[in-house]
Amino acid sequence: DTPGMLRDNSFVQELGTTYEIISIVEMSFVSAQLAARWYSALGGLYLLAGPQLDYVYANNEWRTQRSVNQTYPELTWGPVTIHDGPVGEVLAFQKAQLSMRAGIGYEFALGRNFSISPEAGIAMPLTSLSPDHDGWKLGAVQTAVALAWRW
């Protein structure tokens, strides 16, 4: 590498100076889920599991650079913003990801045909959002309320 050349998430030494790049990524996404329920003998308690498709509809990356000079502290500077915009401007990025969801819930009957169920679970990614870089994966801890109508 050329001295002083910056690379993602790396440190480059030049005359006692360390350059550090810090990257913060925010992603907003929606999920479509299918789940099978296994009911217990304890009333409405159930376990659930199934596939989930996540779609990222908005993202932003805020990348800063900071330098610390151990030899000459007066040359220390930063942080300075070097990128503030969509992830796709810097990295190869896919908008969809497949996950596997597992959780627990409890079904409350609200009449003969209608029920409401609070649920909690996790989504474990099976694919990556950026396979050619750091392998970013979008995992999640989820809470939900499921509404069911039975005919």
Side-chain angles (χ1 to χ4, degrees):
D1 285 346
T2 305
M5 179 180 242
L6 299 176
R7 295 173 295 159
D8 249 359
N9 301 321
S10 65
F11 301 92
V12 180
Q13 296 291 327
E14 182 181 352
L15 299 174
T17 301
T18 300
Y19 296 95
E20 178 182 15
I21 295 177
I22 301 166
S23 183
I24 298 171
V25 177
E26 297 174 344
M27 293 186 186
S28 299
F29 65 97
V30 294
S31 298
Q33 308 163 350
L34 276 175
R37 289 181 176 182
W38 292 274
Y39 285 88
S40 72
L42 304 172
L45 185 66
Y46 61 88
L47 298 176
L48 62 97
Q52 172 175 305
L53 180 64
D54 304 313
Y55 180 77
V56 177
Y57 63 87
N59 66 75
N60 191 60
E61 179 185 32
W62 180 63
R63 191 179 296 194
T64 61
Q65 176 181 333
R66 178 174 73 93
S67 90
V68 177
N69 190 310
Q70 302 296 334
T71 309
Y72 305 102
E74 65 276 4
L75 297 178
T76 296
W77 54 269
V80 174
T81 300
I82 57 175
H83 178 75
D84 189 1
V87 173
E89 291 180 1
V90 178
L91 300 173
F93 179 71
Q94 300 174 154
K95 291 194 171 226
Q97 171 185 272
L98 183 63
S99 299
M100 182 57 76
R101 180 175 177 238
I104 190 168
Y106 194 90
E107 184 174 271
F108 295 97
L110 299 175
R112 188 168 174 216
N113 297 332
F114 187 67
S115 67
I116 187 168
S117 306
E119 296 178 350
I122 59 171
M124 298 154 289
L126 300 175
T127 59
S128 174
L129 291 172
S130 63
D132 59 340
H133 284 63
D134 298 332
W136 291 358
K137 294 183 177 184
L138 191 60
V141 175
Q142 302 171 325
T143 57
V145 175
L147 303 173
W149 177 266
R150 291 183 180 78
W151 288 269

